[in-house]
Structures are given as structure tokens and as C-alpha cells.
Amino acid sequence: MARNPRITFIGAGSTVFMKNIVGDVLQRPALSGATIALMDINPQRLEESAVVVNKLIATLGVKAKAETYSDQRKALKGADFVVVAFQIGGYEPCTVTDFEVPKKYGLRQTIADTLGVGGIMRGLRTVPHLWNICEDMLAVCPEAIMLQYVNPMAINTWAIAEKYPTIKQVGLCHSVQGTAMELAHDLDLPYEEIRYRSAGINHMAFYLKFEHRQPDGTYRDLYPDLVRAYREGRAPKPGWNPRCPNKVRYEMLTRLGYFVTESSEHFAEYTPYFIKDGRGDLIEKYGIPLDEYPKRCIEQIERWKGQAEAYRSADRIEVEQSKEYASSIMNSVWTGEPSVIYGNVRNNGCITSLPSDCAAEVPCLVDASGIQPTYIGDLPPQLTALIRTNINVQELTVRALMSENREHIYHAAMMDPHTAAELDLDQIWSLVDDLLAAHGDWLPAWARTGRKTQAA
């Protein structure tokens, strides 16, 4: 009898996310008998997640089973796939710190989970925990594939590849397929008729092609339509969040000739052009939602209270297919049936105009041999140049983590496009001091005390 896969969730208390992935998995016949191992450090969230998984199993009538663990290594033992989704330090205290401390310097952010001083601090908090998972995987499931859904995605992926090159890993995000769906909606076209090819780094990848299938089977470039719709005020259409009107990306399309895959609220803080002290006109013109991520966190915490109760009292939990890639990857590896996903992996020459060791987001073929990134070649020079400004910050953060050299934390902040556009060197140094001190024990020991003296 064929063996069923063992799928371990580290950070299983991210219940809504875990529910979506498990729901996808259990609807695939080859995976429907899986053992779902749930691990979390929060016993209440872990118990809530187990309730949800067991109800999903009952609703779908499949032979899967759920197990819960507080011990990470035990949960990982014998795993075929390891799904990682956690936020070290949570909304409180760490996200609050990442926003409030920079604000004292006049440095305002929107999301702060990928780049900027917020992204750097999140990377320093997060990578040591991911490395710890890698250690345990090497001990008890060295052949497992890590499906990593944690921000800052590029920093994390790079740091894992650097320290644990034998770990099979992919960083996963839904911005590529999610944005393609948004653009199809903006143009009133069925998503199923869209063809695209995207490449870059996580949260700053670009659609190199964005096309619509014609009745005769040929494809038509949609970029002229997107630019025209923006110029005529027909795009962007209102989205799921009225605070985030998505104008930044359309504006950048008119300047670069290509559309970026991550949302306008993210993109506004990856560049020096949109959030500027004393320029309220820019904030208003492009609808830039300052402090957006803390607002979402508060809303999510509030929403979860009712959601947890609803799940607990429900007899059945209905499942819709999500747009996450996890189940597709597992199914392809397990059955050999090929699929294509967008994944974050070590570049290794896929994008020839970016450093070989950086984390690139490229189309990947998945089958029984695992995840195989595809060759892209050079990106258009303006895209390469903009992406490199973000890679500088990621690289220095990874160097800080690998060498335990605190100087590189300051260097990373110096190189950040938004931080450097707003603050002078003394302010940047002082801000990093304050952030390191405020985060305290959430950081690795070598990073915990702020510099007392500036470099000569």
C-alpha cells in the first residue's frame, strides 16, 4: 500500500493560513491520507488549529489524521514537507516597536516587514529561528522540503541557503498570482485567459510579459491597455482594502514600463520617491496608507476572536481552493505530475543581472525531482538597477547574521532607499541603536546592545 505523506506545520497557530493550506492539501486525492503534524509554542492557538483540522477532515470525509506537538523536533521527525508560518515577536511588542521607534525620527512606514529598518529588524529576529528549524530538519528529516511563508522572505531564503545549503527550501508568496488576478479584474478580462512571466526578488518582481489569449490562439500584449486604463482613470479599480488604492504601482509602470508584483503599500517604502517628510501631497495623490500593517494586525486580532468561536461551534468547515502554491508543490513532488509555481530560491544564475547568491523569485518547475528554478537571463536594466537597491539591504542583513557583525546592521540601514531618503547618518545610527535596545531579548545575543560609539 502506498505511503501517505507527513506534513508538518511549524507555527500552526497561524490558524486561518494553516486552514487554507490543509484545505487545499486534503482536496488532492494523493495527499488526502496525509498525517498533519501541528506544532506551535502557544497551546491555545495549537488547540484551536487542531479543532479546525479535525473538522476539515470530517467535512471532506478523508483519511487524514492530525497530531499536535509543542516540541519542534518531534513534530518534524519523518516529515516529507515542512510548512513554516510564524511571526517572531508578534504584533506586540515587536511590530509596534518597528513602527513607533522610527516614527520618533520622522521615519514613517507602511508595512515594514520586508525592507527598511522594520524589515531589517524582523530579519534579525526571524532568521535564527529558521536556522533552528534547519538544524532539526537535518537531524530528523533531511530530505524534507521546507515551504517557507515567513517575512522578510528574501532575507530568510538567502540566509537559509547561505548557512544550510543542503536544505531543500522554497520561499512562497501569493503576490505574483494575486496581482495577476487584480490586473485581469482591472481590465475586465477572465484571469484564465491571461499569460504572464514574472521575475525579480520577492515583493519586487516584475511581469516581463503580461498577455491576453486571443480567439485565434495568439497572445496580445496588455501593457498598453494597463497604461491607457490608468491614464484615463479606469484603473486601478477599488480593491479589498479602501485604504490602499494601488496607484503607486501604476505610476511606476508608466516610469519603468513594467508592473511590479507586490502591492502599492509595500512598494511605496521600497523606493525613495513616495513617502517624504513635508510632502503630504504625495501621500494624498498616491493614496499611501501610512501605518497600514499595525492597522491590519489589530483588525486581524479582532476578527480572529469571532472566527475561533465560529470554528469551534461549527459542525462542518467548508473549504474553497486557495491561491497558495503549497498543495500544488506537494502534489507534484508526491505524484510526479508536473506543475509550475513562482518560488523564492537561491539565484544561482537564473537571473544573470543579479548576484548569484541572492534570493530570486522565478518560475519553477515542480515534479518528482523537486523544485527546479528556470533560467531568465538579464532583466531590463532599469529593473535590475531598482532591484539591486533592495538586494543591498538584504545582503548586508544576511552578512550581519552570518558573521555576527553588528556593524553590518547599521550598514544595511544606511543602504535602505527610504531610510536614506529621510534621515542623515547620525540619525540612522541613533535609530538603529534605539531599535536594537528596544527589541532586547527578541534579537540574537550578538545584536542585543546598541553601539555606544560611532565608527571613526
Side-chain angles (χ1 to χ4, degrees):
M1 198 168 109
R3 182 171 79 85
N4 284 310
R6 179 177 175 85
I7 303 166
T8 299
F9 284 80
I10 304 295
S14 304
T15 310
V16 174
F17 173 77
M18 182 276 314
K19 173 187 94 70
N20 291 340
I21 302 284
V22 172
D24 291 348
V25 163
L26 298 183
Q27 290 179 82
R28 292 185 181 266
L31 309 176
S32 64
T35 295
I36 310 291
L38 305 170
M39 182 270 158
D40 203 278
I41 56 171
N42 181 324
Q44 183 190 338
R45 295 299 294 261
L46 183 61
E47 191 262 337
E48 288 167 351
S49 287
V51 166
V52 169
V53 172
N54 282 313
K55 288 189 178 178
L56 283 171
I57 292 169
T59 300
L60 291 165
V62 292
K63 290 188 164 58
K65 61 176 181 174
E67 300 172 352
T68 57
Y69 297 86
S70 56
D71 182 298
Q72 180 174 285
R73 189 169 283 205
K74 284 180 182 166
L76 287 167
K77 190 169 170 47
D80 298 293
F81 304 99
V82 178
V83 181
V84 186
F86 53 58
Q87 185 183 339
I88 302 300
Y91 165 62
E92 285 181 315
C94 289
T95 294
V96 171
T97 301
D98 284 342
F99 275 84
E100 293 307 313
V101 175
K103 229 184 264 183
K104 293 174 187 167
Y105 289 80
L107 184 64
R108 299 163 302 165
Q109 300 169 100
T110 53
I111 305 290
D113 69 355
T114 297
L115 210 72
V117 288
I120 294 165
M121 291 298 140
R122 197 171 173 125
L124 296 174
R125 298 195 299 269
T126 304
V127 166
H129 292 271
L130 290 167
W131 281 348
N132 179 257
I133 294 169
C134 292
E135 286 277 345
D136 283 348
M137 286 176 67
L138 289 176
V140 299
C141 59
E143 294 302 309
I145 296 176
M146 179 194 278
L147 307 166
Q148 193 253 116
Y149 278 96
V150 185
N151 279 320
M153 177 78 62
I155 288 170
N156 296 341
T157 305
W158 192 332
I160 291 169
E162 202 76 14
K163 188 156 184 170
Y164 295 98
T166 63
I167 290 284
K168 297 172 184 173
Q169 59 141 345
V170 61
L172 296 169
C173 179
H174 49 241
S175 62
V176 174
Q177 65 274 40
T179 292
M181 290 171 188
E182 282 180 57
L183 294 182
H185 173 65
D186 281 353
L187 294 176
D188 295 314
L189 293 171
Y191 174 66
E192 298 70 36
E193 295 176 10
I194 301 292
R195 178 175 79 171
Y196 56 84
R197 185 168 175 77
S198 165
I201 58 173
N202 182 239
H203 287 190
M204 200 183 268
F206 292 84
Y207 296 106
L208 304 176
K209 285 185 175 169
F210 198 79
E211 301 170 322
H212 180 220
R213 188 173 68 245
Q214 303 300 291
D216 64 359
T218 60
Y219 283 84
R220 186 171 70 81
D221 178 16
L222 287 174
Y223 270 135
D225 297 40
L226 286 169
V227 171
R228 196 177 311 112
Y230 177 56
R231 296 233 193 266
E232 293 173 3
R234 292 181 285 111
K237 288 183 179 173
W240 66 275
N241 186 343
R243 293 191 298 262
C244 305
N246 206 19
K247 290 179 184 171
V248 167
R249 291 196 287 178
Y250 271 95
E251 186 62 29
M252 289 303 283
L253 164 63
T254 69
R255 312 290 177 151
L256 296 170
Y258 296 88
F259 205 92
V260 74
T261 53
E262 187 46 80
S263 66
S264 287
E265 55 269 26
H266 279 86
F267 198 75
E269 64 182 9
Y270 303 158
T271 58
Y273 315 120
F274 296 99
I275 306 171
K276 291 179 174 294
D277 187 38
R279 293 296 307 275
D281 58 314
L282 291 174
I283 304 297
E284 191 176 341
K285 179 179 179 181
Y286 296 111
I288 294 163
L290 298 169
D291 296 327
E292 173 61 20
Y293 189 63
K295 287 172 189 158
R296 286 187 198 175
C297 290
I298 292 164
E299 288 166 0
Q300 204 171 2
I301 291 163
E302 210 37 59
R303 200 163 48 238
W304 175 245
K305 290 175 189 166
Q307 190 72 68
E309 203 37 61
Y311 283 147
R312 195 178 289 282
S313 57
D315 295 331
R316 297 166 57 82
I317 296 180
E318 294 307 325
V319 197
E320 286 179 19
Q321 207 69 37
S322 83
K323 57 186 179 192
E324 305 294 352
Y325 287 128
S327 73
S328 172
I329 292 169
M330 294 177 201
N331 187 65
S332 290
V333 170
W334 204 249
T335 66
E337 179 190 325
S339 64
V340 174
I341 59 112
Y342 277 85
N344 292 272
V345 293
R346 192 177 193 273
N347 184 20
N348 286 344
C350 289
I351 301 176
T352 41
S353 55
L354 297 181
S356 195
D357 57 350
C358 80
E361 187 169 80
V362 293
C364 301
L365 172 70
V366 192
D367 60 17
S369 300
I371 296 161
Q372 299 146 79
T374 61
Y375 176 80
I376 296 292
D378 279 0
L379 295 176
Q382 70 276 29
L383 304 186
T384 295
L386 193 59
I387 290 168
R388 278 181 184 155
T389 67
N390 283 218
I391 286 177
N392 292 336
V393 183
Q394 295 160 3
E395 180 170 27
L396 284 159
T397 307
V398 173
R399 292 282 170 271
L401 284 153
M402 288 295 294
S403 63
E404 300 191 355
N405 178 353
R406 205 163 56 232
E407 293 288 309
H408 288 327
I409 303 171
Y410 297 81
H411 298 152
M414 276 173 67
M415 297 302 155
D416 178 63
H418 175 44
T419 305
E422 294 285 271
L423 305 184
D424 65 32
L425 287 170
D426 285 344
Q427 289 174 311
I428 293 170
W429 245 247
S430 179
L431 168 55
V432 173
D433 282 341
D434 288 355
L435 280 165
L436 295 178
H439 279 304
D441 291 351
W442 288 105
L443 298 174
W446 59 268
R448 272 176 208 167
T449 13
R451 282 172 44 106
K452 297 303 173 202
T453 57
Q454 292 177 9

